[in-house]
């Protein structure tokens, strides 16, 4: 007699079948047999990565099956770079940074105001890579002190930079209004407070102390271009670092130092190290490019201030569209005529000067150091912003080469040519450290910067020998080469070195 299956047995059988089908899941995408580097676990081995629904679903030493497979043999795969110091913010700047291996670009230093508007615009237009902003203290100050109503764009901020009313000392009511505007944007989901103190160095210490208390109250980082710059004393790097340490300890806020000044790293790094040991929470970012870039209207470029700024500059250390400025007369005239022009500032030259290289090497040495680009917005030569949807980059565009060649520069020079760092260091400093420094305050970063099941599928794949930086100070236009695949949120944005302009996989990073 044939045995009939009971309902219970049937259910069990069905369950087993479903379970079986589950383990055979074909992934959306598999990278097969690449050398995978994970800075969190230290894994450096050949693995296959299964990607499903924007996440890493499997990391396996066995082959995985999928609808689409990328042959990773001979390639390195690591977490996409996280740039916390990117001023571009547009679709265009994100696309160009993708060729630099950047999958998340955040504007921490200047920030935006109102931050909700910046996020809305980005979501409406779409972005190639992940994006986010801090609450902009600079724009808040411009609104209160100069009457320039912030509109959530970088252009509004830079066009009002030269009108220095915004840098003046605020009275108590104005101070209150500035703090309220910043707080509104924090409540809208800003990642922290962006504090361009160095562009307004004479604001009161009380205002900055209050801002630090505000950051602590909302448990957000305060990310700063420090008040003073360089080795002038009093009033240089040491004083600026003392103020940061004091505010970090007394208010309990997490201070993030944008672009650590190289002038006195031998003094400021031990200060920061000692402060950390006493409980101060201070993160440090170091720039890969040592040629500065800012807007010609910035206060510290005024002829009377320039000799005292940083190492002490002369007009010819400023490159105006690739050409040195002759003298103070020309500097004065150009500042008046073209305050929004993007200039380059010749700080140091690590490629040709070994002492400079040693100093910059030192700037990377504090534990947890984060690499940043300080990438600038793309403008035409009249200072007008290039529309975000533009592609490819128009011929008359201009920006500092670091805007699209920072992490590839680190890979090419510091890892491959000078062998001062290895690939794991590059992924740690370029990605993992950025995620871990902020993740308890910005939970969206807790799944970035590492390669493990459950992590965000933001991945880059390349051969170190293929990395080639092409942008330089004379011609910043050509993007870097060598990123074979750039995957954002599980979606290939760059495939076989070519940008796919049909996909916009970038998502907001927001609190
Ligand atoms: Zn800065």
């Amino acid at each position: 007699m044939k045995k009939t299956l009971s309902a219970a047995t049937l259910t069990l059988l069905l369950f087993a079948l479903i379970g079986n089908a589950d383990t055979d899941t074909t992934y959306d995408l598999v990278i097969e047999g690449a050398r995978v580097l994970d800075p969190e676990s230290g894994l450096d081995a050949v693995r296959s990565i299964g990607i499903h629904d924007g996440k890493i679903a499997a990391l396996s030493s066995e082959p995985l099956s999928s609808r689409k497979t990328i042959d990773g043999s001979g390639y390195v795969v690591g977490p996409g770079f996280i740039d916390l110091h990117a001023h571009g913010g547009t679709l265009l700047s994100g696309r160009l940074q993708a060729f630099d291996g950047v999958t998340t670009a955040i504007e921490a230093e200047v920030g935006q105001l109102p931050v909700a508007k910046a996020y809305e615009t980005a979501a409406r237009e779409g972005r190639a890579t992940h994006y986010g902003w801090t609450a902009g203290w600079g724009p808040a100050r411009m609104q209160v002190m100069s009457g320039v109503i912030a509109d959530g764009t970088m252009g509004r901020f830079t066009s009002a930079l030269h009108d220095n009313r915004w840098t003046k000392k605020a009275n108590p009511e104005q101070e209150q209004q500035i703090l309220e505007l910043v707080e509104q944007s924090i409540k809208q989901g800003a990642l922290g407070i962006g504090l361009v103190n160095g562009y307004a160095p004479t604001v009161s210490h009380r205002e900055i102390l209050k801002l630090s208390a505000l950051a602590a109250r909302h448990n957000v980082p305060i990310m700063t271009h420090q008040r003073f710059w360089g080795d002038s004393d009093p009033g240089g790097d040491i004083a600026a670092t003392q103020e940061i340490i004091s505010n970090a300890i007394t208010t309990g806020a997490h201070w993030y130092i944008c672009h650590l000044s190289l002038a006195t790293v031998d003094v400021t790094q031990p200060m920061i190290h000692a402060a950390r040991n006493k409980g101060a929470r201070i993160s440090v970012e170091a720039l890969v490019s040592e040629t500065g870039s800012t807007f010609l209207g910035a206060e510290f470029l005024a002829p009377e201030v320039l000799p005292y700024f940083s190492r002490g500059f002369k007009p010819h250390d400023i490159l105006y569209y690739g050409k040195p400025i002759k003298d103070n007369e020309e500097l004065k005239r150009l500042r008046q005529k073209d305050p929004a022009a993007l200039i380059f500032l010749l700080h140091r030259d690590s490629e040709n000067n070994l002492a400079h290289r040693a100093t910059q090497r030192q700037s990377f040495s504090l534990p947890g150091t984060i690499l940043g680009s300080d990438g600038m917005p793309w403008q035409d030569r009249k200072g007008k912003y290039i529309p975000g949807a533009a592609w490819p980059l128009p011929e008359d565009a201009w920006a500092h080469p670091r805007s699209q060649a920072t992490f590839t520069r680190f890979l090419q020079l510091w890892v491959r040519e000078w062998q001062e760092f290895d690939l794991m260091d590059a992924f740690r400093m370029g990605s993992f450290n950025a995620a871990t420094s902020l993740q308890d305050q910005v939970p969206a970063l807790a799944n970035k910067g590492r390669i493990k099941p459950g992590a965000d599928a933001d991945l880059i794949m390349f051969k170190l020998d293929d990395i080639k930086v092409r942008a330089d100070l004379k011609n910043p236009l050509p993007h870097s080469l060598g990123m074979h695949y750039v995957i954002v949120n599980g979606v290939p944005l760059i495939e076989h070195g070519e940008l796919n302009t049909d996909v916009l996989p970038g998502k907001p990073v927001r609190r």
Side-chain angles (χ1 to χ4, degrees):
M1 195 179 131
K2 264 189 189 167
K3 241 173 119 184
T4 46
L5 295 171
S6 71
T9 315
L10 263 175
T11 312
L12 268 175
L13 192 65
L14 203 63
F15 203 71
L17 279 171
I18 293 167
N20 210 15
D22 234 20
T23 53
D24 276 346
T25 295
T26 48
Y27 303 99
D28 304 336
L29 181 66
V30 160
I31 300 173
E32 194 64 63
R35 178 184 164 199
V36 174
L37 285 98
D38 173 38
E40 185 178 50
S41 64
L43 173 81
D44 179 353
V46 172
R47 289 286 184 273
S48 293
I49 302 175
I51 295 166
H52 180 64
D53 216 8
K55 300 270 180 202
I56 294 171
L59 185 61
S60 169
S61 44
E62 304 296 320
L64 298 167
S65 62
S66 166
R67 285 185 281 278
K68 181 178 162 122
T69 299
I70 296 168
D71 180 7
S73 49
Y75 286 92
V76 161
V77 169
F81 296 122
I82 299 171
D83 184 7
L84 297 178
H85 194 155
H87 297 300
T90 62
L91 173 56
L92 173 69
S93 59
R95 281 173 163 166
L96 292 165
Q97 281 200 288
F99 287 96
D100 201 26
V102 174
T103 52
T104 301
I106 283 163
E107 159 62 278
E109 184 199 29
V110 176
Q112 270 302 349
L113 200 89
V115 101
K117 191 140 188 217
Y119 278 107
E120 272 161 35
T121 305
R124 192 176 61 246
E125 295 174 354
R127 290 289 184 268
T129 53
H130 305 308
Y131 54 91
W133 289 273
T134 53
W137 169 84
R141 253 186 158 272
M142 277 177 184
Q143 184 159 322
V144 173
M145 305 296 290
S146 319
V148 177
I149 304 302
D151 67 351
T153 69
M154 187 68 175
R156 182 61 57 89
F157 173 77
T158 53
S159 65
L161 202 61
H162 64 287
D163 170 2
N164 64 7
R165 280 178 296 172
W166 78 276
T167 68
K168 302 295 177 211
K169 205 173 159 193
N171 66 35
E173 294 93 89
Q174 290 167 328
E175 194 179 278
Q176 191 53 31
Q177 288 165 20
I178 293 163
L179 289 167
E180 276 169 16
L181 282 173
V182 170
E183 186 167 26
Q184 273 169 22
S185 274
I186 294 173
K187 288 178 177 165
Q188 292 167 2
L191 305 181
I193 297 173
L195 174 60
V196 280
N197 203 354
Y199 288 79
T202 55
V203 302
S204 76
H205 292 271
R206 190 182 66 170
E207 180 176 330
I208 303 305
L209 178 61
K210 283 188 174 176
L211 208 62
S212 184
L214 181 68
R217 203 156 61 242
H218 285 277
N219 188 28
V220 293
I222 179 162
M223 307 172 84
T224 191
H225 177 139
Q226 66 196 29
R227 186 190 289 268
F228 305 120
W229 200 262
D231 56 6
S232 55
D233 192 359
D237 290 339
I238 296 174
T241 308
Q242 283 169 336
E243 183 179 26
I244 289 168
I245 289 171
S246 167
N247 284 336
I249 289 179
T250 54
T251 66
H254 172 196
W255 278 75
Y256 177 101
I257 299 175
C258 296
H259 47 46
L260 185 71
S261 169
L262 297 185
T264 54
V265 276
D266 53 326
V267 181
T268 54
Q269 279 183 333
M271 287 170 69
I272 294 163
H273 188 71
R276 282 175 172 176
N277 286 339
K278 293 186 164 58
R281 186 161 177 202
I282 300 173
S283 297
V284 172
E285 168 199 290
L287 292 193
V288 178
S289 162
E290 345 118 272
T291 312
S293 182
T294 189
F295 303 95
L296 189 54
E299 207 167 275
F300 52 74
L301 297 184
E304 63 278 13
V305 185
L306 199 60
Y308 307 100
F309 172 63
S310 190
R311 66 165 171 78
F313 288 95
K314 304 229 159 55
H316 65 242
D317 294 319
I318 304 173
L319 297 186
Y320 178 76
Y321 295 115
K323 273 188 23 210
I325 292 178
K326 270 206 314 276
D327 49 26
N328 278 343
E329 280 315 301
E330 191 179 33
L331 177 59
K332 221 182 266 173
R333 189 168 52 76
L334 287 174
R335 273 168 60 83
Q336 229 144 52
K337 188 187 103 186
D338 202 1
L342 261 183
I343 58 89
F344 304 151
L345 202 53
L346 301 173
H347 279 282
R348 280 176 186 78
D349 180 11
S350 284
E351 285 177 66
N352 300 300
N353 182 320
L354 285 178
H356 288 181
R357 193 185 302 174
T359 306
Q360 200 185 9
R361 174 74 179 75
Q362 172 74 26
S363 79
F364 298 133
S365 65
L366 268 181
T369 293
I370 296 154
L371 301 182
S373 78
D374 205 353
M376 304 302 278
W378 290 90
Q379 307 182 333
D380 67 16
R381 299 203 182 192
K382 293 190 176 77
K384 207 169 139 255
Y385 279 45
I386 309 278
W391 191 262
L393 197 56
E395 300 254 307
D396 65 339
W398 194 257
H400 192 290
R402 70 193 182 199
S403 311
Q404 56 175 338
T406 286
F407 299 89
T408 44
R409 181 182 165 89
F410 190 84
L411 289 170
Q412 179 175 317
L413 294 180
W414 290 96
V415 179
R416 189 177 72 211
E417 289 183 18
W418 303 338
Q419 299 186 2
E420 294 276 353
F421 296 98
D422 61 22
L423 278 167
M424 192 67 94
D425 295 326
F427 288 119
R428 187 182 304 110
M429 295 160 71
S431 185
F432 182 65
N433 286 353
T436 50
S437 82
L438 299 187
Q439 66 188 25
D440 69 314
Q441 297 178 305
V442 183
L445 290 172
N447 288 322
K448 299 196 185 296
R450 55 269 271 174
I451 297 189
K452 64 179 179 188
D456 294 349
D458 300 331
L459 302 166
I460 55 177
M461 177 170 136
F462 59 90
K463 289 179 180 166
L464 187 58
D465 282 342
D466 293 346
I467 296 294
K468 187 172 166 51
V469 168
R470 297 187 297 168
D472 61 30
L473 295 172
K474 289 200 183 80
N475 181 12
L477 299 188
H479 62 68
S480 292
L481 300 178
M483 286 295 151
H484 194 55
Y485 266 84
V486 174
I487 293 166
V488 177
N489 199 35
V491 177
L493 176 66
I494 289 178
E495 284 190 87
H496 299 288
E498 300 283 336
L499 179 79
N500 181 353
T501 52
D502 294 333
V503 296
L504 297 171
K507 298 264 178 273
V509 178
R510 195 169 178 170
R511 287 178 87 249

